Amino acid sequence: MDHAAVSVYCRIRPLRTADADRGTMLISSDSKTVSLAHSGECYNFSFDRVFDSDASQQNMFDGVRVAECVFDVLGGYNATIFAYGQTASGKTHTMEGMDIFHPVTRGIIPRSATALFQACSQAPSDIEFAIKVSFVEIYMERIRDLIDPFGQKRTNLQIREDPSTGVYVAGCTEAFVTNECELLKCMTIGRKSRATAATGMNEGSSRSHSVLCITVLQRNTETDSKRVGKLVLVDLAGSEMVRKSQAAGQQLEEAKKINKSLSALGQVINALTDEKKVHVPYRDSKLTRMLQDSLGGNAKTALIVAASASAENSFETLSTLKFGQRAKAIKNKPKINERKSVEELTNLLHKAEAAIDMQSTRYINAQA
């Protein structure tokens, strides 16, 4: 089994008009390093790639190597890409984009859909594909189906675990899609259902974590062998300081739940990177339970930390960058999810028997 470190990328959000007067405190010194000034000290962080405020959506897609993730999924691996950062730092813009159909502004998720179906169209003729999509959100620690055809009736779904397929959400809608347009239609439906609200920092602040899962099932028609790969795309709600977001009433309760689940995520990462820790608290939140395979488990994972360049947000940005630095130390255990055909298993058995016979002959000859 391979051991793969979590890849971590940093994207710096352009300054907003309201931030410009307060000054810039975040500087990208090169393509892999971020320098941050906070409370009279300078902090330096190294990541797999750093994207400055001029980076385009295409730059992000290429730099995060999303196309490689898609090919890994077609190879039978699980892959996860998720964005982390404070509220209004550009996570949803990075993952979804302003317009998922626009060739310039679309984000990582719609571009992944394009790459997936292009790769499928170039696969050998003896490979059959079936692709299904689920889209859920974690809102107030309850999992809700965002593409439920029965009108949002599934609002408290449970997480289960299967020894062979890993962690999954029981009872959520899985829609089979045959092309990019059908996949993006599911995404459009889900986006309309997702919980958002205006806050003091973001007019369309996400009040939930969203998880889009694309499962690719494939069968070799000549050998009857099967492979299954999953691409999990996560847009986390942002951490927020109430005095800045001015959350009150229901939004305040949402902020508490969001911050609590993100704190649990931090505790999981701390446990995974601390050799003295023997217990990883995945079950402390729905979010960490859903990401169990992605953090320390059977997946290849990329994390994008979204950072604000505003001096006003230096504390939150420092926390975000430290989170990303810790995550770099996580070692996952990805493996190919496949089921060999009877013919392939028989051939492997014959090879094993032949190897045993050869060893036995050598042993007998050595004894003679």
Side-chain angles (χ1 to χ4, degrees), residues 106-282:
R106 65 204 315 241
I108 282 175
I109 298 177
R111 290 172 190 269
S112 300
T114 302
L116 173 62
F117 284 99
Q118 285 180 347
C120 289
S121 68
Q122 297 167 3
S125 58
D126 57 0
I127 302 296
E128 289 183 344
F129 292 99
I131 299 174
K132 58 184 180 179
V133 179
S134 66
F135 198 6
V136 301
E137 71 172 353
I138 304 173
Y139 174 71
M140 299 286 287
E141 276 301 291
R142 295 165 70 94
I143 299 175
R144 187 162 71 95
D145 192 339
L146 291 176
I147 55 173
D148 180 1
F150 300 105
Q152 304 177 15
K153 293 179 181 177
R154 302 174 185 176
T155 58
N156 192 20
L157 301 175
Q158 301 302 307
I159 299 172
R160 300 284 185 259
E161 186 171 4
D162 183 275
S164 58
T165 59
V167 174
Y168 66 98
V169 178
C172 73
T173 302
E174 291 185 304
F176 281 90
V177 294
T178 59
N179 55 53
E180 178 187 348
C181 289
E182 291 178 357
L183 195 157
L184 294 182
K185 182 179 179 181
C186 290
M187 186 178 173
T188 300
I189 294 170
R191 292 177 80 199
K192 290 179 180 178
S193 300
R194 191 177 175 191
T196 61
T199 69
M201 295 187 69
N202 189 352
E203 291 183 0
S205 175
S206 300
R207 313 310 291 167
S208 66
H209 310 299
S210 73
V211 182
L212 178 73
C213 181
I214 305 171
T215 304
V216 181
L217 306 99
Q218 52 185 300
R219 182 177 76 92
N220 187 310
T221 57
E222 292 189 359
T223 66
D224 200 39
S225 61
K226 298 178 176 66
R227 283 184 175 179
V228 180
K230 288 193 298 186
L231 179 59
V232 180
L233 300 154
V234 184
D235 178 23
L236 297 178
S239 59
E240 59 183 81
M241 297 182 71
V242 174
R243 65 176 177 82
K244 290 184 180 180
S245 66
Q246 301 170 16
Q250 180 63 19
Q251 291 180 23
L252 177 59
E253 296 305 313
E254 294 167 348
K256 290 178 181 178
K257 292 292 185 182
I258 291 169
N259 289 340
K260 184 177 179 180
S261 64
L262 293 175
S263 176
L265 178 60
Q267 292 301 317
V268 164
I269 289 179
N270 287 339
L272 287 170
T273 55
D274 186 347
E275 295 180 356
K276 297 179 181 179
K277 296 275 188 178
V278 294
H279 170 67
V280 181
Y282 289 115

